Amino acid sequence: MAGLVIANWKMHGSLELIAEFAQEWRELPQLSGVNVVLCPPAPYLGVVSEAVEGIVLGAQNSADRVEGALTGEVSSQMLSELGCGYVIIGHSERRSLFSETDAQVAVKAQLAIAQGLHAVVCVGETLEHRDADQQDKVVSEQLLGSLAEVPWEKLVVAYEPVWAIGTGRTATPAQAEAMHGVIKGCLRGHFGDAGADIPVIYGGSVKPENAGVLFECDNIDGALVGGASLNANSFWHIASAASAGRA
Ligand code: PGA
């Protein structure tokens, strides 16, 4: 499968940054063999889709209901109407800061996929779990809990160890590869043969300097990139490494 590299801008950016990013991105060579997705904050979706060429639009979250009196929420139908192809679901920041549960993540993923979006379901262990060597159990349980009634088509899984997000501390390629193997095993167990076709991407302090070695791992199908995706040049280098790793 082609590599998949997703920019997660989180609550960063401005109209000025989008204009600079778009300009710089336009001047960089076009990439092949990699699907590049950009997830800006929701209010910027329209601007990014018009300004940045050669990317698929994505969102960072969607509601766990179809519609209703839910002030501040954004539905997957709205994201689909705006041209999004992807939505990140159950990022560890949503789980820890906004108390999202596995059950909510599963409903959000179901609704997103029903609207034709790719649902990027995030899982990952804390440092406490890693230090106690509980990571395989914790991540497998979180994954299966987050996939209840979720179809496999258009599903993407992002493994993001919480201790590696925004900390500059990346999982070693061996740690990431081992966990991706565990996740792929769970997906095959849950979905049968179809589970083998679900991309599993890595996130947590991915940068141009470490992307190449991560993408050389057999079970790493791409990356979810936070901080390093706010700069067009560094994001391009990561995406380019994914395209080379899959060539
Ligand atoms: P980071 O964030 O690349 O800044 O560590 C990744 C993420 O949280 O998706």
Side-chain angles (χ1 to χ4, degrees), residues 8 10 91-93 160 164-167 203-206 224-228:
N8 175 13
K10 308 193 180 184
H91 187 280
S92 66
E93 287 150 18
E160 297 206 304
I165 296 176
T167 58
S205 298
V206 176
L224 180 53
V225 188

Side-chain angles (χ1 to χ4, degrees), residues 44-232:
Y44 295 138
L45 284 168
V47 185
V48 165
S49 105
E50 298 219 334
V52 186
E53 292 156 19
I55 54 112
V56 177
L57 194 64
Q60 300 174 15
N61 182 34
S62 58
D64 61 359
R65 309 255 200 99
V66 174
E67 64 174 349
L70 296 160
T71 303
E73 287 293 89
V74 174
S75 74
S76 38
Q77 187 191 341
M78 295 167 189
L79 297 176
S80 171
E81 267 184 358
L82 281 176
C84 287
Y86 286 75
V87 57
I88 301 169
I89 308 243
H91 187 280
S92 66
E93 287 150 18
R94 303 275 340 154
R95 290 177 184 268
S96 66
L97 303 173
F98 301 93
S99 309
E100 275 185 20
T101 63
D102 291 348
Q104 276 175 304
V105 170
V107 171
K108 288 179 175 207
Q110 285 167 33
L111 293 175
I113 291 172
Q115 287 298 329
L117 300 168
H118 288 88
V120 184
V121 171
C122 302
V123 292
E125 81 284 1
T126 61
L127 188 56
E128 201 184 347
H129 289 131
R130 168 72 53 176
D131 286 344
D133 201 22
Q134 294 284 302
Q135 66 275 7
D136 292 3
K137 181 174 173 288
V138 167
V139 170
S140 304
E141 285 174 4
Q142 196 182 41
L143 178 65
L144 292 175
S146 304
L147 293 186
E149 314 287 329
V150 177
W152 69 271
E153 295 97 342
K154 294 191 177 275
L155 175 65
V156 175
V157 174
Y159 169 54
E160 297 206 304
V162 176
W163 47 271
I165 296 176
T167 58
R169 190 178 155 185
T170 328
T172 63
Q175 285 172 323
E177 175 70 347
M179 183 59 81
H180 280 229
V182 170
I183 290 172
K184 289 198 176 217
C186 275
L187 293 172
R188 277 193 304 272
H190 187 68
F191 293 111
D193 288 347
D197 294 333
I198 299 169
V200 181
I201 62 176
Y202 170 79
S205 298
V206 176
K207 303 181 199 66
E209 302 82 57
N210 59 24
V213 278
L214 287 164
F215 297 144
E216 275 167 22
C217 299
D218 286 346
N219 289 320
I220 299 184
D221 302 316
L224 180 53
V225 188
S229 71
L230 286 158
N231 176 283

